[in-house]
Amino acid sequence: MAIVIFDGVAYGMLLFLMAVGLSITMGLMNFVNLAHGSFAVVGGYAAAVVMNQLGLGYATALACAFVAAAVLGAVLEFLLYRRLYRAHPLDQVLLSIGLVFVSIAALTYFFGPSMLPFHLPEALQGQVTIAGVGVGRYRLFLIGAGLLILVLLLGMLRTRYGAMVRAAVDNQRVAAGTGIHVQRLFLLTFALGCGLAGLGGALSLGMLGLEPYFPLKYMVYFLIVVCVGGAGTIVGPFVAALLVGIVDVAGKYYLPEAGAFLIYVFMIGMLLLRPNGIIPRKGLA
Amino acid sequence: MNLSKRTLLAALALATLGTVAQAQDALKIGLIGTYSGPYADYGRQFDAGVALYLKEHGGKIAGRTVDIIKKDTGGANPDASKRIAQELIVRDKVQILTGLDFSPNAYAVAAVATQAKVPVVVMNASSSGITTASPYVARLSFTVQQVSDPMARWMLKQGIKESYVVVADYAPGVDSLTAFKKAFEQGGGKVVGELRTPMSNPDFSAYVQRIKDAKPQSVFFFFPSGVMPPAFLKVWKERGMDAAGIKLFATGEATDDSYLDATGDVALGLITSHHYSYAHPSAKNQKFVKDFEAQFGTSLRPSYFAVTAYDAMAAIDQALKKTGGDVSGDKVMEALKGLQFESPRGPIEVDPVTRDIVQTVYIRKTEKVGGKLVNVEFDKFDRVKDPAKEAQ
């Protein structure tokens, strides 16, 4: 029982790490960004290249993953996304899903269609025993990383920067009138969301395979977490990811015949109960 | 219709000339495979095998130059495969169809082949029923049941009495489960648990934990090659299942040569059953691998796809030599039946009754040889037929 909950929490943290960036770009900035997985996979490839070809350590690889995805996010925001902030959501969907296919083609061109090798550092392999339960080191590390990101983001939202973002999202004209450089603010925020996606992608590699089709394959999971949690908040996706992780792992453990299907039942149930997410953004509830 | 009469006539004349010239020498073969999408490596392996055979034989099959017309299905896509097969036959006038990586695609093409009486030589699709779907289909690859059943018999030989079976929840997974269970239980073994995991499954921890708590003597698993086997093996290693004394066995898809590098050390020591390993020690295979590396480099390893593509060309070559160059469907099929020759994987033959492959299935262990992970063969079952058809 304990191990099932632990595995569920660890898996939930992985989902949170991958999806929290989407909550920022999609929720805070009101942009339906289906290309989130592309930024995640760019982070994953960056980490793998840094480790395999440059021979650098895991920590450096994670940092590079964040930077690579954030820089790509900033460039694309400047070139493409910025034009569609006030467009119809359907236009945003079309642009971002197009970017997904472009990213798949580009990665296939440079790295080939099959999996890229990635190996966790020695220190994160195997198990440690905590209170009589053997838990995976890598999973423990994921939980730690998830909590750290949660705390950092919550802290950031309380700063002046966080207040500026919220103001700019709610009313761009008034925010600009009070002297906020809205465009630069959005550029930064978008880059942050993409950077987090890249970090999540790199952190996920101990569990998931790295291949060009990653963005399409895991898109459903990002969207479930953000929709169930409530887009635009940090705590919402956190709670949702934990619940989804635990429901998924426990379902597969106790009810293997139906287990993989349970998260969809859970999602539908949650959306019926709380259509705007577990923790809706202020003004939506 | 703005074409002038003269252009039309000219085009017609050219087209006729073209067909006449080609009908005299070039043998037209339609190759249906996956060249785009996540499985694009399948197409590359097919191409490599075909190219190697043609290069070895001066670009000729049964004394004729060969015109290979490649078509992309982009993965498992029966509708596209059917349309492509029709186009190849009607418009491109191919005389033989080959390729076919995914089983649904092969079933779709089999229906077309029966109507058009065009021979189909399957290079991979491994669902048992494909050769029964049309009298114009012969298979040079393998069936999932053909490699699952010997694993069960080998495990029994080692004194393993109980096993837990884990398969991916799709048709080949069920095929593997059926064949393994039948052979294992017939030999006096007991299947103590079954798990079918969804095709899209990012985390195997719950399944592996369930197995650990059930404490079986051994586990047999089948997953399609690619992302699933490494994900499963990672969790297996992390949970210390080997230390818990649970032995692990699988079919060769788990350690597919083209993914083995990416899978990494978690595959070390795993015992699998399959019909081809690129480390197969025969002289024929060593030459095959050497030629492959000379032509395509070492980044792409020849896998069972490349070998069956190579063998499919050899089978077509030998069949056409037997018919004296006659490419009519019935004659070619008759010639394919009972063909026997040495493949890079070892001796193979086409069953004269079922038109399915009969071959050696090897038991291999993943080891590190010269810094590279390879499947080292150490035991074998000779002349294994598809068990699904043996029963009938």
Side-chain angles (χ1 to χ4, degrees):
Chain A
M1 180 72 188
I3 185 73
V4 174
I5 300 230
F6 173 81
D7 284 338
V9 170
Y11 180 43
M13 286 294 184
L14 177 75
L15 293 177
F16 170 69
L17 285 165
M18 298 220 294
V20 66
L22 181 61
S23 183
I24 292 176
T25 55
M26 187 155 110
L28 272 183
M29 304 175 65
N30 280 327
F31 196 106
V32 188
N33 181 24
L34 294 186
H36 184 71
S38 296
F39 296 103
V41 80
V42 164
Y45 272 93
V49 167
V50 164
M51 284 181 78
N52 296 348
Q53 275 160 34
L54 306 179
L56 297 171
Y58 189 53
T60 323
L62 291 181
C64 291
F66 181 90
V67 172
V71 168
L72 180 70
V75 170
L76 288 179
E77 199 274 350
F78 183 75
L79 292 176
L80 301 169
Y81 280 83
R82 119 170 349 178
R83 283 152 230 279
L84 290 180
Y85 281 132
R86 288 192 210 150
H88 193 272
L90 193 60
D91 295 334
Q92 303 177 341
V93 165
L94 283 177
L95 170 77
S96 53
I97 200 82
L99 284 177
V100 169
F101 287 105
V102 171
S103 72
I104 290 172
L107 289 171
T108 308
Y109 179 78
F110 288 111
F111 297 97
S114 40
M115 272 193 311
L116 213 62
F118 177 83
H119 307 298
L120 278 174
E122 215 46 57
L124 289 181
Q125 291 176 12
Q127 285 184 307
V128 282
T129 313
I130 295 175
V133 184
V135 297
R137 286 166 199 247
Y138 168 63
R139 281 163 209 272
L140 210 56
F141 172 70
L142 282 182
I143 294 179
L147 289 175
L148 184 70
I149 296 287
L150 175 74
V151 170
L152 283 180
L153 286 178
L154 285 179
M156 192 179 282
L157 280 184
R158 281 171 196 278
T159 60
R160 207 175 117 77
Y161 165 77
M164 278 157 59
V165 172
R166 274 173 284 144
V169 168
D170 284 341
N171 195 326
Q172 283 198 28
R173 283 179 64 193
V174 174
T178 61
I180 297 173
H181 195 311
V182 175
Q183 263 195 350
R184 197 171 60 203
L185 193 67
F186 271 31
L187 180 79
L188 272 177
T189 311
F190 192 80
L192 172 71
C194 294
L196 284 172
L199 182 66
L203 282 168
S204 76
L205 295 184
M207 218 183 272
L208 313 178
L210 184 59
E211 48 174 4
Y213 271 76
F214 186 101
L216 274 185
K217 234 171 147 174
Y218 299 111
M219 180 158 42
V220 177
Y221 296 93
F222 309 140
L223 290 174
I224 288 180
V225 167
V226 172
C227 293
V228 170
T233 69
I234 304 298
V235 179
F238 180 76
V239 175
L242 285 190
L243 287 175
V244 168
I246 294 172
V247 166
D248 190 46
V249 171
K252 283 172 178 168
Y253 184 81
Y254 292 109
L255 260 181
E257 299 80 21
F261 190 65
L262 283 184
I263 58 166
Y264 302 105
V265 176
F266 171 76
M267 177 189 74
I268 293 168
M270 287 306 291
L271 287 179
L272 286 174
L273 282 174
R274 297 188 73 92
N276 289 317
I278 294 175
I279 300 179
R281 222 175 75 208
K282 284 193 188 75
L284 270 179
Chain B
M1 288 283 118
N2 282 331
L3 284 174
S4 77
K5 208 171 182 181
R6 188 188 276 173
T7 342
L8 205 68
L9 278 174
L12 206 67
L14 266 176
T16 335
L17 268 175
T19 13
V20 171
Q22 292 208 315
Q24 277 170 351
D25 47 23
L27 173 70
K28 284 190 158 193
I29 298 178
L31 176 57
I32 304 173
T34 302
Y35 292 93
S36 61
Y39 303 101
D41 265 350
Y42 291 0
R44 286 166 73 198
Q45 293 272 1
F46 278 172
D47 281 0
V50 169
L52 275 185
Y53 188 85
L54 290 179
K55 196 179 173 205
E56 249 175 50
H57 295 81
K60 289 192 172 175
I61 275 187
R64 295 164 74 175
T65 54
V66 183
D67 187 5
I68 306 266
I69 302 164
K70 286 193 284 184
K71 297 281 175 181
D72 180 21
T73 62
N77 191 344
D79 292 337
S81 306
K82 187 173 179 185
R83 193 193 67 237
I84 286 168
Q86 283 164 345
E87 276 176 18
L88 280 169
I89 293 168
V90 176
R91 203 180 59 198
D92 297 314
K93 307 261 185 288
V94 300
Q95 289 130 345
I96 292 170
L97 284 172
T98 187
L100 302 170
D101 29 23
F102 290 91
S103 292
N105 299 359
Y107 280 116
V109 170
V112 180
T114 312
Q115 274 188 321
K117 301 193 172 170
V118 169
V120 177
V121 180
V122 174
M123 284 184 182
N124 183 64
S126 55
S127 161
S128 284
I130 290 169
T131 47
T132 22
S134 163
Y136 293 94
V137 173
R139 170 158 47 200
L140 269 294
S141 49
F142 74 113
T143 73
V144 171
Q145 304 216 19
Q146 189 179 36
V147 295
S148 301
D149 164 295
M151 193 74 245
R153 288 188 275 144
W154 189 82
M155 284 163 66
L156 289 165
K157 257 189 3 193
Q158 307 308 306
I160 293 167
K161 285 280 165 249
E162 53 167 56
S163 192
Y164 203 108
V165 184
V166 185
V167 298
D169 196 6
Y170 75 132
V174 177
D175 265 8
S176 178
L177 173 71
T178 315
F180 179 87
K181 199 172 168 183
K182 196 171 157 213
F184 200 63
E185 288 181 341
Q186 268 177 2
K190 191 170 170 233
V191 172
V192 291
E194 286 173 25
L195 272 180
R196 293 188 195 180
T197 73
M199 290 300 282
S200 159
N201 182 44
D203 183 13
F204 279 97
S205 63
Y207 295 117
V208 174
Q209 189 62 40
R210 197 180 159 86
I211 297 168
K212 195 177 183 186
D213 294 344
K215 295 193 180 69
Q217 191 186 3
S218 71
V219 172
F220 166 79
F221 75 92
F222 167 89
F223 290 132
S225 42
V227 184
M228 290 177 90
F232 182 78
L233 289 169
K234 272 178 197 164
V235 181
W236 186 270
K237 274 274 145 62
E238 181 206 272
R239 305 267 130 156
M241 302 292 277
D242 296 329
I246 303 169
K247 295 191 181 88
L248 187 61
F249 304 92
T251 59
E253 279 84 357
T255 55
D256 182 340
D257 280 308
S258 41
Y259 295 93
L260 201 47
D261 260 347
T263 305
D265 287 351
V266 287
L268 269 177
L270 183 65
I271 293 176
T272 53
S273 56
H274 223 221
H275 54 291
Y276 178 69
S277 153
Y278 103 123
H280 182 67
S282 75
K284 174 111 182 160
N285 185 52
Q286 278 164 358
K287 181 178 182 306
F288 178 78
V289 172
K290 215 176 102 199
D291 292 350
F292 188 99
E293 283 173 355
Q295 195 154 0
F296 307 101
T298 46
S299 62
L300 183 77
R301 265 196 207 180
S303 72
Y304 54 94
F305 277 82
V307 171
T308 38
Y310 179 88
D311 290 341
M313 298 317 278
I316 294 170
D317 194 355
Q318 297 198 19
L320 290 191
K321 275 177 189 149
K322 262 165 87 178
T323 64
D326 189 338
V327 286
S328 67
D330 294 296
K331 292 245 174 70
V332 174
M333 291 317 294
E334 212 42 58
L336 280 168
K337 288 178 190 169
L339 269 189
Q340 288 186 16
F341 58 95
E342 169 84 9
S343 149
R345 61 187 127 154
I348 59 172
E349 57 190 273
V350 179
D351 189 314
V353 184
T354 63
R355 290 160 276 111
D356 216 332
I357 180 120
V358 182
Q359 62 189 331
T360 315
V361 173
Y362 302 89
I363 308 294
R364 315 96 48 88
K365 190 173 185 179
T366 314
E367 288 174 14
K368 222 168 211 169
V369 178
K372 272 200 273 183
L373 286 169
V374 289
N375 295 304
V376 179
E377 297 164 350
F378 64 93
D379 204 348
K380 60 180 182 174
F381 289 82
D382 288 323
R383 302 194 67 195
V384 180
K385 292 187 177 187
D386 178 25
K389 293 181 199 84
E390 287 288 270
Q392 288 159 8

